[in-house]
Amino acid sequence: MSYVILDLEWNGSYSKKIHRYVNEIIEFGAVKIDDYFNIVDTFSMLIKPQIGKKISSHIAKLTHITNDELFDSDNTFYSVERKFRDFLGDSILLTWGTSDIHTLIENYRYYTGNDKLMFISQYCDLQLYCEKALDLYNPSTQLGLQACADMLNINSNEEDLHRAYSDAELSYECFKRLYDKTAFQKFVEKVDEEFFNKITFKNKQLTDLNSPLIDKSQFYFNCQECGIRAEQITHFKVKNKSFTADFRCPKCRQQFKGRITARLKYEGVTLNKRVVIPKVKEILDDDE
């Protein structure tokens, strides 16, 4: 089995055709590695923009890619994508996080009208794998590639970062340090219709307390001091896309605010609970 680690660079370009911005891919970079973690092939190509007329100053500064480099190229997205398809073959595709696979789908849809990249047979989110391997997984934050490399004492050239091939190579170094065959297999997904339905599903914050998707039986809190279930003393209200209510411990009488956010994902609704201890003044104001 071989693995291909892909990294993309893109430029935000406004399309008159669909009347919105598109993350237009301007560079592909990838490394192919074998079972022994040897790099057996590489892929690096710039793409001439067909939507945007120039690269943004932010992207130019970040990547050091110039307009002259891009527009002097004869490579279109379609031609580069076809070459990358041959390069990938039946290898497992890995990307650092899912933003690259999302952007690849977005560009493929724009140019072909199809959002199913059926030339990919298996996929792994390398960022998620590394987070779990380092026991750093947190759904509210993500581990950056450079941060992961620093943790693993992997040297990287600051000037080479944010170029597709360099980032793919750095991802490879992190993968090599953290690879465990048994653990890794659990993160490899089969790319089929369900995979694309899941990865293109748009998560949504739920703010309707009466939504049938929300399990109201989970809207409770335990006292952080006593560990027992607190009494709800006010109704839940929607504030900043969260549901908030006041609670009081029946034992120690500690009063606090319970905040719940409900997010609809492909797998279902996830609830995130947070306890906020009010300041003394806030408690006094509430009692007046």
Side-chain angles (χ1 to χ4, degrees), residues 3-4 6 8 17 22 25 30 37 77 110 125 144 154 177 203 210 221 231 239 263 285:
Y3 313 94
V4 167
L6 170 69
L8 303 170
K17 175 177 147 183
V22 175
I25 297 173
F37 272 80
F77 170 81
Y110 183 87
D125 177 351
I154 298 171
R177 299 284 184 92
N203 294 342
N210 296 315
F221 286 85
E231 301 170 338
K239 185 177 182 180
R263 194 164 184 80
D285 289 344

Side-chain angles (χ1 to χ4, degrees), residues 44-197:
S44 180
M45 296 189 76
L46 290 172
I47 298 175
K48 183 177 183 178
Q50 295 172 270
I51 306 172
K53 300 302 180 184
K54 67 176 184 177
I55 189 170
S56 75
S57 57
H58 170 70
I59 297 301
K61 183 177 180 181
L62 191 69
T63 63
H64 304 295
I65 297 173
T66 67
N67 283 307
D68 288 342
E69 286 181 282
L70 287 180
F71 287 94
D72 284 348
S73 169
D74 291 326
N75 300 321
T76 63
F77 170 81
Y78 189 71
S79 66
V80 174
E81 178 271 323
R82 296 290 294 184
K83 290 176 182 176
F84 177 75
R85 182 185 299 200
D86 293 337
F87 175 83
L88 176 65
D90 61 357
S91 303
I92 297 174
L93 179 68
L94 299 90
T95 62
W96 189 268
T98 58
S99 57
D100 287 275
I101 194 77
H102 277 292
T103 303
L104 185 58
I105 290 171
E106 180 185 17
N107 281 249
Y108 195 73
R109 182 194 300 122
Y110 183 87
Y111 288 111
T112 70
N114 185 2
D115 58 4
K116 305 293 191 298
L117 307 174
M118 300 312 293
F119 59 87
I120 304 171
S121 58
Q122 297 182 86
Y123 171 77
C124 174
D125 177 351
L126 183 55
Q127 182 185 55
L128 178 61
Y129 172 75
C130 291
E131 287 174 340
K132 292 290 184 74
L134 290 167
D135 197 24
L136 292 173
Y137 174 70
N138 184 334
S140 62
T141 60
Q142 291 184 321
L143 177 65
L145 175 58
Q146 183 60 60
C148 183
D150 290 342
M151 287 179 179
L152 298 172
N153 296 315
I154 298 171
N155 294 324
S156 59
N157 189 336
E158 191 93 17
E159 293 183 1
D160 291 336
L161 292 177
H162 305 298
R163 286 300 300 261
Y165 178 77
S166 296
D167 284 356
E169 194 173 36
L170 188 58
S171 299
Y172 152 72
E173 293 292 343
C174 294
F175 183 39
K176 182 169 66 172
R177 299 284 184 92
L178 294 172
Y179 179 73
D180 176 274
K181 186 174 183 178
T182 303
F184 175 71
Q185 287 301 320
K186 298 176 183 177
F187 291 83
V188 177
E189 300 179 73
K190 181 182 178 181
V191 177
D192 53 15
E193 190 80 19
E194 183 179 358
F195 172 84
F196 286 108
N197 289 339

Side-chain angles (χ1 to χ4, degrees), residues 242-256:
S242 299
F243 305 108
T244 305
D246 292 327
F247 290 80
R248 181 169 53 222
C249 176
K251 183 178 180 181
C252 70
R253 310 306 291 173
Q254 166 119 291
Q255 188 170 320
F256 61 89

Side-chain angles (χ1 to χ4, degrees), residues 273-288:
K273 297 183 179 181
R274 182 185 171 200
V275 169
V276 180
I277 307 296
K279 297 177 183 178
V280 175
K281 184 179 183 304
E282 291 176 340
I283 296 175
L284 292 174
D285 289 344
D286 288 341
D287 291 339
E288 290 177 356

